[in-house]
Amino acid sequence: MCGIAGLLNLDSVSVSPVTLQRMTDAIAHRGPDGEGHWVEGNVGIGHRRLSIIDLSPAGHQPMISSDHRYVLSYNGEVYNYLELRAELEAAGYWFRSKTDTEVVLNAFAHWGNNALLRFNGMFALAIFDRKERKLLLARDRYGVKPLYYAQQGNVFSFGSEQKAITAHPKFRRALDKAALLEYFTFQNIFTDRTLLEGVKLLPAGHFAQVDLERGGRLTLTRYWDYRFREPERAKDKQAYVEELDRLFTQAVNRQLVSDVELGAYLSGGMDSGSITAVAAQSFPNLKTFTCGFDLSSASGIELGFDERIKAEEMSARFKTEHYEMVLKAGDMERCMPALVRHLEEPRVGQSYPNYYAAKLASRFVKVVMSGAGGDELFGGYPWRYYRAVVNQDFEHYIDQYYSFWQRLIPNRALSQVFAPIWADVNHVWTRDIFRDVFLTHDNELDRPEDYINHSLYFEAKTFLHGLFIVEDKLSMAHGLEARVPFMDNDLVDFAMSCPVSLKLNNLKSVLRINENEPGSKTGKYFQKTNDGKQILRDVMKRLIPETVAGAEKQGFSSPDASWFKGESIEFVRRKLLSGNPRIYEYLDADSVRSLINQHLDGQENRRLLIWSLLSVEAWMGSNL
């Protein structure tokens, strides 16, 4: 697990080793165990190493193939590397290390770009072909590991984080106003834009090639995509349960490979609890970690946000060595500068609890297992899918689902809120951005289950991807590798073809309600329930307490709705309601302050908007 960076001077000027060093220094936190640089003419590739597998110098990067044709800088873990190594050895390749890096390098030498489809893991990589004079950049299927690139003038640069790119002395910072509009619609960025103009995020499941023999021409290729679909012939339910049990256990065990100490997040929920249950069978006294919240000033549903008691119960059950941290309102304020610096730009949710969870875990281990992905694969948010499952056609489905996913500022208010820059962004149609996500999903839309699968596709491509970006940045901020067993290739393939009827309990009831009350979006089925992930619950009951496996869905959220109008109210006022915040160069101050005051006065819950405003304001202060 590492950080990668590099650049191509498209005008053929030799790369400065000093510049390449600056780029890798900017991401030194990702790889405190070592660094490496390779420069040849107008090509420079750098690496920062966090040693996880084969801690010896044999794993040094950039790594060069035995025939000296390929140069690789790689960040990630390929969990099936031993099987691939055996295939490559049978084909005549020899290995001088025990790393998965060398397996990845020889896999490209043997299979070319098709090697990407053979990797079961998470990765971002750069490989330069010295013979063809081509640079290949690639991300894993699901986008667990990020990879950014940019071209300004004759300089093409890339890195695991934007910091590597902005460290180049010729890089000029400017706000991407269209990306800002996109973020304040979805609290996420669905396109490949970032808040820095010209810096792109390579899409998940894609590779990019830069051909120096053709003037640095960039081509982008999708090599994999999700496909949620109903099976042609559904099997017996028990067969699905047994297969899921086998695949989940296999996925966790695959990701236990490590030459350093490994632990697990234990939130008190089903997903992390089940991973801990399996991992603890192989690792006696497994270290587990959870963050709870001071709820002394919380109210309403926030009173259930602290899951430490459930986590402690599971820790006792699985005999783990358990560590906890309790967050208070002031912890958000204290971490904001470091959080924004490492996160680089805000994405989904309020991410500072993840920052503290990673900080806690990094004190004891270098690898931690995370439960991310279980909800998105197995239907953990039914109240969201049900809002659009009954529709007249695809466009009506889009209208309903798009209305729900306007998480911060609805369409009707965009022109007013963005008045200072509206002339620059009024060509951006966020409904089209939303709709475009579905264009590559190969799925017939003949029945309600097909639309549920469409929603699962959307959330895996956008919401889950945003969570992965946050997880990567905030774990690597502390030199910690976060692994996601739910994103094992075999388990994902199973989930995508598992019948919707085995994931959701109440779809038929929702359809009946719509027949009797067309257009109704009220009632228990449109609230958070223990509907969803039914087959996963059936399997996990074998591993974890019934009270956890059957519990209502609870996200990893802090009680900010209460804190923003309580202990943190002065922080909000100081940053957003007084002085001259930078954000009001781009957003209308009166409109935004009116929305904030609606929350402070108790009229509306705008915690996500306030968090996003605070984050973007802090980002502007350090980036523009």
Side-chain angles (χ1 to χ4, degrees):
M1 192 54 58
C2 313
I4 70 174
L7 70 156
L8 308 176
N9 286 335
L10 304 181
D11 55 2
S12 298
V13 172
S14 294
V15 165
S16 164
V18 174
T19 296
L20 184 59
Q21 179 78 57
R22 286 181 60 176
M23 295 174 70
T24 56
D25 283 351
I27 55 172
H29 54 278
R30 296 185 68 94
D33 297 332
E35 64 178 331
H37 304 88
W38 179 86
V39 175
E40 184 175 79
N42 64 331
V43 181
I45 296 175
H47 187 264
R48 294 291 314 202
R49 186 182 185 193
L50 178 67
S51 303
I52 302 295
I53 295 175
D54 188 351
L55 312 185
S56 75
H60 180 78
Q61 296 187 54
M63 187 175 285
I64 303 174
S65 61
S66 58
D67 63 359
H68 302 284
R69 176 174 176 176
Y70 299 101
V71 182
L72 172 68
S73 186
Y74 159 74
N75 164 35
E77 303 287 355
V78 170
Y79 304 110
N80 63 332
Y81 77 101
L82 291 177
E83 296 96 313
L84 296 176
R85 176 174 174 143
E87 282 191 62
L88 292 165
E89 286 177 329
Y93 290 84
W94 59 273
F95 292 81
R96 61 182 181 271
S97 75
K98 297 180 181 179
T99 65
D100 59 331
T101 304
E102 193 173 9
V103 173
V104 169
L105 180 60
N106 284 330
F108 272 100
H110 189 61
W111 292 303
N113 295 345
N114 289 330
L116 292 167
L117 289 169
R118 290 176 169 265
F119 299 153
N120 188 351
M122 55 181 184
F123 57 85
L125 60 86
I127 187 164
F128 184 68
D129 184 338
R130 298 171 69 195
K131 179 180 177 181
E132 299 285 340
R133 300 283 295 164
K134 290 180 180 178
L135 174 72
L136 176 96
L137 305 177
R139 286 180 76 196
D140 62 74
R141 298 180 178 197
Y142 320 114
V144 180
K145 307 307 292 182
L147 183 55
Y148 299 89
Y149 66 94
Q151 182 175 342
Q152 284 194 349
N154 290 316
V155 177
F156 179 90
S157 55
F158 63 89
S160 294
E161 298 185 11
Q162 298 171 35
K163 297 178 194 65
I165 296 171
T166 59
H168 194 288
K170 291 186 177 180
F171 185 84
R172 296 295 175 263
R173 299 170 184 263
L175 174 69
D176 188 322
K177 297 174 183 176
L180 187 69
L181 178 72
E182 190 177 344
Y183 173 75
F184 273 109
T185 300
F186 304 119
Q187 206 198 21
N188 201 354
I189 301 176
F190 295 169
T191 62
D192 63 353
R193 293 177 181 271
T194 68
L195 290 182
L196 283 176
E197 188 173 61
V199 178
K200 303 289 187 182
L201 176 62
L202 183 66
H206 281 67
F207 65 83
Q209 285 186 301
V210 183
D211 188 345
L212 290 178
E213 295 296 318
R214 303 182 66 178
R217 179 185 177 189
L218 174 72
T219 58
L220 200 63
T221 303
R222 185 185 68 190
Y223 70 87
W224 188 89
D225 200 5
Y226 293 98
R227 189 189 173 208
F228 288 89
R229 64 202 180 280
E230 289 295 283
E232 292 183 6
R233 293 193 182 96
K235 296 177 289 187
D236 175 73
K237 176 183 176 180
Q238 191 58 31
Y240 280 103
V241 170
E242 296 299 331
E243 181 67 356
L244 176 55
D245 190 10
R246 182 186 72 83
L247 291 174
F248 178 76
T249 302
Q250 173 182 274
V252 175
N253 285 329
R254 272 178 178 164
Q255 298 197 17
L256 293 178
V257 58
S258 174
D259 291 334
V260 297
E261 189 160 12
L262 177 147
Y265 289 132
L266 185 58
S267 68
M270 178 172 68
D271 298 341
S272 64
S274 300
I275 290 170
T276 298
V278 174
Q281 295 172 10
S282 300
F283 282 78
N285 301 313
L286 177 76
K287 291 182 173 66
T288 53
F289 312 95
T290 191
C291 277
F293 305 100
D294 175 10
L295 301 180
S296 58
S297 62
S299 61
I301 62 171
E302 291 181 334
L303 292 172
F305 281 7
D306 188 357
E307 295 189 288
R308 281 178 295 156
I309 292 177
K310 289 182 180 179
E312 290 164 2
E313 290 173 351
M314 284 195 284
S315 171
R317 182 183 182 117
F318 304 128
K319 298 179 173 59
T320 72
E321 184 178 319
H322 191 60
Y323 298 90
E324 296 180 347
M325 176 180 286
V326 181
L327 300 184
K328 301 176 175 59
D331 291 318
M332 176 199 66
E333 303 168 28
R334 280 186 285 274
C335 80
M336 279 298 278
L339 175 72
V340 169
R341 182 172 68 254
H342 286 293
L343 193 55
E344 298 191 301
E345 62 185 11
R347 289 276 172 167
V348 295
Q350 290 136 294
S351 46
Y352 70 89
N354 305 71
Y355 177 85
Y356 281 110
K359 182 178 181 180
L360 172 65
S362 70
R363 293 172 55 194
F364 302 95
V365 298
K366 290 182 73 173
V367 178
V368 68
M369 312 279 273
S370 164
D375 288 312
E376 291 75 16
L377 293 176
F378 290 96
Y381 306 103
W383 59 92
R384 301 203 298 225
Y385 323 138
Y386 291 161
R387 293 176 182 275
V389 66
V390 178
N391 55 73
Q392 299 165 10
D393 52 27
F394 173 67
E395 296 300 332
H396 185 216
Y397 163 83
I398 291 295
D399 285 339
Q400 294 184 95
Y401 211 37
Y402 171 63
S403 177
F404 176 82
W405 276 99
Q406 295 169 52
R407 288 164 66 90
L408 299 182
I409 300 173
N411 263 18
R412 63 181 180 276
L414 285 178
S415 61
Q416 183 179 358
V417 171
F418 279 83
I421 59 168
W422 187 243
D424 299 323
V425 297
N426 61 12
H427 64 286
V428 179
W429 292 90
T430 51
R431 183 189 183 277
D432 288 348
I433 291 172
F434 185 91
R435 186 183 188 279
D436 286 349
V437 174
F438 298 89
L439 295 182
T440 53
H441 191 209
D442 183 13
N443 184 31
E444 299 294 330
L445 296 175
D446 298 324
R447 50 193 166 172
E449 289 82 359
D450 297 332
Y451 282 101
I452 296 291
N453 280 321
H454 235 32
S455 296
L456 293 173
Y457 174 83
F458 169 82
E459 299 207 10
K461 293 278 284 190
T462 59
F463 187 73
L464 180 59
H465 180 249
L467 293 175
F468 286 149
I469 298 294
V470 170
E471 184 69 62
D472 171 84
K473 300 286 186 64
L474 300 186
S475 60
M476 295 305 293
H478 298 96
L480 177 72
E481 173 181 307
R483 296 181 177 179
V484 281
F486 275 104
M487 306 315 292
D488 174 87
N489 289 356
D490 295 332
L491 187 53
V492 172
D493 288 345
F494 171 88
M496 291 191 299
S497 61
C498 182
V500 166
S501 62
L502 297 184
K503 297 178 180 178
L504 306 179
N505 255 350
N506 296 320
L507 177 57
K508 291 182 179 179
S509 298
V510 171
L511 298 176
R512 282 197 300 271
I513 288 174
N514 190 77
E515 289 179 4
N516 298 326
E517 303 175 57
S520 174
K521 296 291 186 295
T522 60
K524 65 180 181 180
Y525 301 122
F526 299 94
Q527 310 298 322
K528 292 185 179 181
T529 68
N530 62 355
D531 187 10
K533 299 201 294 190
Q534 292 304 313
I535 186 171
L536 198 59
R537 295 176 188 272
D538 290 341
V539 171
M540 299 315 170
K541 287 174 185 176
R542 306 176 180 184
L543 300 172
I544 58 178
E546 173 74 30
T547 53
V548 176
E552 291 185 4
K553 166 63 184 170
Q554 172 63 58
F556 185 35
S557 300
S558 49
D560 292 310
S562 297
W563 286 350
F564 284 151
K565 55 187 178 183
E567 291 99 321
S568 296
I569 192 169
E570 290 306 317
F571 179 71
V572 173
R573 285 173 173 161
R574 186 169 70 252
K575 294 294 183 180
L576 300 175
L577 298 179
S578 61
N580 296 296
R582 291 288 305 278
I583 202 168
Y584 296 134
E585 297 175 26
Y586 306 94
L587 305 182
D588 180 69
D590 290 339
S591 299
V592 170
R593 284 169 173 155
S594 175
L595 294 172
I596 294 171
N597 284 320
Q598 287 175 11
H599 182 95
L600 302 186
D601 294 340
Q603 301 174 38
E604 297 284 346
N605 184 348
R606 300 202 182 277
R607 65 184 181 92
L608 292 181
L609 176 61
I610 292 174
W611 164 258
S612 298
L613 290 165
L614 289 169
S615 298
V616 173
E617 173 63 19
W619 178 88
M620 288 181 173
S622 60
N623 282 275
L624 299 180

